[in-house]
Amino acid sequence: MGSEEGGHVPKSHPRYESLVTRHRIEDGVEKGITSKQGLIAQGRGEAFDYLLGEETIPSARVGARAAAAQLLVADHPVISVNGNAAALVPGEIVELAEVVETDIEVNLFNRTEERIRKIRDHLEEFGAVGVRGMNGDAVIPGLEHGRGLVDQGGIFAADVVLVPLEDGDRAEALRNMGKIEIVIDLNPMSRSAVVADIPIVDNIVRAIPNIIAEAENLAGRSEDELEAIVEEFDSDAVLEASERQIRCGEKNQKT
Ligand code: PTJ
């Protein structure tokens, strides 16, 4: 996928993964999938990721396990996809949707019909079927920007929504609708992470594969066992541990 694979970035570079991720976002903007603001959001995320040591910390692993359990017991789970998520992890989103049997819905802050269509087509290239988001025939109460428009049979009807790289407004509005929210966000102090039932403070490029692996491990567990995993999950403890890691963690030596 051209520069998406890192192009001229040598694998030996100490920050190879981070640079490849940047190229994916750049490609996303060039293809009209990712918004220009998505570049800024990526930079913001990178700063937190650098402080986390660019690796999944233990509390994020616990979050990934709880998220997998929650998605497996849900009646109507939906993965919400924006321009950044589509550029960074399209194949992984499709795989997760298959493993835990969820719908995929494109939902954009900077909503245009053209970008929704391009993201849907992009996900379909990775094997997605029945991607939602084109209808926009229901409104999340209290949200005036593009993210308020959702599909009646998708996010509007969902019991559990996985929202990567969220902006806080919608996270709060979905919570007010009584939905269970799983949020992936590198900033543990963001409003979306704070209001989430299950916050995962990790880079989406690591978090989604971790949820897939946990879901595969949990396959075959009873509903009671899965519900117990969700019950045990302590979001405050996870947010505190993540913030502690960012503020007090060992200095990242990579340059
Ligand atoms: O595609 P659209 O139109 O829906 O727009 C999407 C963006 C991301 C531009 C929009 O939602 C936005 O402006 O988001 P914010 O308010 O910048 O918030 C993005 C959050 O995601 C921040 O808290 C970042 O730390 C976090 N973040 C950025 N990159 C990653 C990330 N979290 C996990 N993985 C990342 N790769």
Side-chain angles (χ1 to χ4, degrees):
M1 282 193 265
S3 61
E4 198 168 308
E5 292 303 336
H8 52 278
V9 181
K11 278 210 163 171
S12 56
H13 193 288
R15 303 196 56 250
Y16 174 80
E17 292 298 335
S18 165
L19 296 174
V20 167
T21 303
R22 272 189 197 177
H23 280 295
R24 287 195 191 153
I25 290 287
E26 260 183 88
D27 277 354
V29 173
E30 276 163 21
K31 287 179 187 154
I33 289 170
T34 309
S35 70
K36 285 188 189 158
Q37 283 186 22
L39 292 166
I40 299 166
Q42 170 68 18
R44 209 173 175 185
E46 274 186 12
F48 287 103
D49 205 11
Y50 193 81
L51 294 170
L52 284 168
E54 292 172 336
E55 62 185 18
T56 299
I57 61 171
S59 61
R61 234 168 246 296
V62 174
R65 184 171 157 83
Q70 181 65 82
L71 288 166
L72 287 168
V73 291
D75 290 325
H76 182 183
V78 177
I79 303 175
S80 179
V81 177
N82 65 14
N84 286 52
L88 291 176
V89 282
E92 292 85 345
I93 286 169
V94 174
E95 189 182 346
L96 177 61
E98 279 168 11
V99 172
V100 295
E101 294 180 30
T102 71
D103 276 353
I104 297 175
E105 179 165 336
V106 182
N107 178 265
L108 302 179
F109 182 72
N110 306 293
R111 182 183 170 101
T112 67
E113 297 302 314
E114 191 193 358
R115 202 149 69 86
I116 293 179
R117 211 173 37 250
K118 282 187 173 169
I119 293 174
R120 180 199 60 192
D121 294 349
H122 181 63
L123 292 169
E124 282 176 359
E125 280 173 30
F126 285 83
V129 278
V131 176
R132 293 181 181 271
M134 292 299 291
N135 294 351
D137 51 0
V139 177
I140 301 174
L143 269 196
E144 280 169 18
H145 53 75
R147 273 205 143 150
L149 278 186
V150 290
D151 277 19
Q152 182 86 48
I155 288 175
F156 195 80
D159 58 342
V160 176
V161 189
L162 170 61
V163 279
L165 278 125
E166 177 64 78
D167 75 295
D169 267 14
R170 189 180 66 148
E172 254 177 347
L174 286 175
R175 193 190 171 112
N176 291 340
M177 285 179 82
K179 305 208 182 288
I180 296 171
E181 279 187 274
I182 301 166
V183 167
I184 300 170
D185 195 318
L186 280 157
N187 176 5
M189 291 155 278
S190 78
R191 204 151 34 116
S192 36
V194 170
V195 302
D197 296 277
I198 302 180
I200 303 174
V201 180
D202 202 0
N203 197 316
I204 189 174
V205 301
R206 298 186 297 268
I208 300 268
N210 287 341
I211 302 173
I212 294 170
E214 294 293 348
E216 285 170 345
N217 283 338
L218 293 172
R221 297 285 187 100
S222 71
E223 199 143 309
D224 284 351
E225 284 175 291
L226 295 172
E227 268 162 11
I229 292 170
V230 174
E231 278 296 305
E232 276 165 26
F233 180 78
D234 182 342
S235 63
D236 289 339
V238 157
L239 292 176
E240 273 171 38
S242 314
E243 191 175 333
R244 214 177 312 120
Q245 178 72 27
I246 285 169
R247 291 186 189 275
C248 317
E250 280 184 15
K251 197 163 179 243
N252 190 338
Q253 296 300 317
K254 288 181 275 184
T255 52

